[in-house]
Amino acid sequence: MPTLTIAVLPGDGIGPEVIHQSLLVLDTIAKKFDHHLEYKHGQIGAVAIHATGSPLPEETLELCRSSDAVLFGAVGDPAFDNDPLAKVRPEQGLLSMRKELGLFANIRPVQTYPSLHHLSPIKSTRLNNTDLIIYRELTGGIYFGEKKLSADGQWAVDTCTYSVDEITRVGTLAFEHAMRRKKRLCLVDKANVLETSRLWRKTISELSHAFPEVQTEFMFVDNAAMQLILHPAQFDVILTENMFGDILSDEASVLAGSLGLLPSASIGSGTSVFEPIHGSYPQAAGKDIANPIGSILSSALMLESLGLKEEAQNIKEAVDWSIQHGFVTKDIDPVNFYFTSTIGELLCDFILNRVDDAVNRANIQMRKSTII
Ligand code: IPM
Ligand code: MN
């Protein structure tokens, strides 16, 4: 097996901590399966702005282009959020990377864990059988349309633009994925109001003829926001535009138990990027309380995309095991929680078959937080 080069972009806030745990898990997998992974670190986001003035230095972009995959942490810093006049923002680093690498599809699987149902704000009867996947268009729409702030600061414009080609390429991937799943696809839009949504509906409706086995549905985004909470099990593949996908995937994360659990893969024409769906969560940075699972499962998606299926499956099994045994971080269980680093260690132990329930349980308990 040749060496795989991974561009590692930890970014801001909890990014470096969750990425650190991912690398420990990846190292463990590499050791177990005898692979060689080479990590090359790059800067992005607020740390990159402080170091170079740019949220995505050219050097980082080059690194991404020349790597086999990119593992990304998070970007964002409240110092920039609270300054409407800031000329550069950390988020621009992530958005430019997506655009520059041509990553037009962001895939966000949402799985629920029966052992976490009791901690969910949603009744477990509603959570049963939920297993959906969101296909979010990632390089178009209002995120990338023309923007303007008038000279007198009295009005502003964001433009939402989509072309048939942009809709078709992500739509095709979503249909193909639906064929490998339950063969149901729901396009979420706001076609009763927006012209771009009407184009989405027309394009996807035409595309659906090429996938006659897939049952295609259309749903307005306001209704979809409600249906996700009321009857999440009705969904299989949700296909939607950039901003609706951003919002609905945060909402859908509540079904899984926490925003911190969800991974994603961003794919397209360039090197793929694997990133948790959560943000930089600056309030938690440096406290060893962030949930590393979103990032660790993103690493599993990365291995899968590199053709290392068994290795990816091993990571998923480790995550299932830890959640099932209640080894979870504070976002999931604010009373009985474990530290970020402890979760990482436990997953590595599991991967190396070092976990013997009877013997190690007491040791593990000792690593539980005593801070309530
Ligand atoms: C996400 C994030 C980003 C987005 C931000 C950080 C720009 O919320 O990946 O979902 O809005 O796409
Ligand atoms: Mn988001």
Side-chain angles (χ1 to χ4, degrees):
M1 180 96 205
T3 299
L4 292 167
T5 308
I6 315 295
V8 179
L9 314 183
D12 306 321
I14 59 168
E17 290 162 64
V18 297
I19 286 283
H20 182 63
Q21 298 309 316
S22 277
L23 297 185
L24 292 178
V25 168
L26 284 170
D27 281 341
T28 308
I29 288 284
K31 183 169 161 191
K32 178 169 173 177
F33 291 86
D34 202 17
H35 294 312
H36 192 240
L37 301 176
E38 189 182 348
Y39 309 124
K40 293 193 173 168
H41 281 70
Q43 290 181 321
I44 192 166
V47 285
I49 296 176
H50 294 310
T52 70
S54 160
L56 180 68
E58 191 53 41
E59 198 182 290
T60 302
L61 194 53
E62 261 319 302
L63 174 64
C64 296
R65 289 203 170 108
S66 61
S67 299
D68 293 301
V70 179
L71 202 56
F72 168 84
V75 285
D77 181 331
F80 292 89
D81 298 342
N82 303 332
D83 176 7
L85 298 177
K87 287 271 178 297
V88 282
R89 295 177 182 284
E91 289 78 5
Q92 287 165 351
L94 176 58
L95 299 178
S96 317
M97 177 177 69
R98 290 171 177 169
K99 192 76 173 177
E100 291 291 334
L101 298 177
L103 306 175
F104 56 81
N106 181 230
I107 306 160
R108 300 186 159 184
V110 181
Q111 192 201 324
T112 65
Y113 297 88
S115 54
L116 297 184
H117 281 186
H118 67 289
L119 295 168
S120 172
I122 312 242
K123 287 195 185 79
S124 92
T125 44
R126 295 191 192 276
L127 293 172
N128 285 335
N129 302 319
T130 295
D131 176 13
L132 59 92
I133 191 154
I134 299 176
Y135 262 78
R136 167 187 176 193
E137 198 291 328
L138 202 60
T139 49
I142 201 162
Y143 270 65
F144 292 94
E146 202 182 313
K147 299 177 191 304
K148 193 178 158 94
L149 176 66
S150 69
D152 62 2
Q154 293 304 296
W155 51 269
V157 187
D158 288 290
T159 323
C160 184
T161 312
Y162 269 111
S163 70
V164 170
D165 283 351
E166 285 174 310
I167 300 168
T168 307
R169 62 188 183 180
V170 64
T172 305
L173 292 183
F175 272 110
E176 285 169 357
H177 205 139
M179 285 297 289
R180 301 193 296 273
R181 292 176 48 101
K182 287 178 265 173
K183 298 191 169 68
R184 294 207 312 267
L185 182 142
C186 179
L187 173 71
V188 171
D189 63 25
K190 187 73 187 173
N192 49 348
V193 177
L194 301 177
E195 203 57 54
T196 43
S197 283
R198 286 190 277 272
L199 188 65
W200 269 85
R201 219 172 249 228
K202 180 169 178 288
T203 309
I204 294 304
S205 169
E206 282 165 15
L207 187 60
S208 70
H209 301 310
F211 299 90
E213 282 176 57
V214 177
Q215 189 188 323
T216 307
E217 274 190 275
F218 302 93
M219 197 180 277
F220 295 141
V221 63
D222 46 355
N223 184 25
M226 181 174 71
Q227 294 298 330
L228 259 179
I229 301 298
L230 280 179
H231 304 296
Q234 74 183 283
F235 296 106
D236 180 20
V237 175
I238 291 178
L239 167 64
T240 191
E241 61 101 73
N242 204 343
M243 190 156 76
F244 296 159
D246 177 47
I247 298 168
L248 291 182
S249 55
D250 269 34
E251 187 193 1
S253 76
V254 175
L255 302 168
S258 163
L259 186 60
L261 288 171
L262 293 203
S264 84
S266 301
I267 64 171
S269 50
T271 317
S272 301
V273 174
F274 299 86
E275 43 176 322
I277 83 158
H278 63 68
S280 61
Y281 192 15
Q283 304 84 341
K287 295 185 179 156
D288 204 19
I289 56 169
N291 193 338
I293 301 296
S295 174
I296 291 169
L297 287 175
S298 300
S299 312
L301 291 177
M302 178 182 86
L303 294 181
E304 210 170 277
S305 89
L306 294 169
L308 305 177
K309 301 242 162 19
E310 195 188 337
E311 292 81 343
Q313 188 55 33
N314 202 178
I315 296 183
K316 287 190 217 160
E317 277 162 18
V319 168
D320 284 348
W321 166 83
S322 70
I323 288 176
Q324 209 172 353
H325 285 78
F327 302 135
V328 293
T329 40
K330 197 176 180 186
D331 49 318
I332 292 179
D333 193 335
V335 178
N336 288 301
F337 68 90
Y338 293 79
F339 290 113
T340 314
S341 51
T342 307
I343 299 292
E345 279 171 39
L346 287 171
L347 296 176
C348 293
D349 284 350
F350 179 91
I351 290 166
L352 296 175
N353 302 316
R354 286 213 207 111
V355 176
D356 170 341
D357 264 4
V359 180
N360 290 346
R361 185 84 196 190
N363 287 340
I364 294 168
Q365 285 296 331
M366 285 179 51
R367 288 188 276 172
K368 185 191 277 186
S369 165
T370 50
I371 307 162
I372 295 176

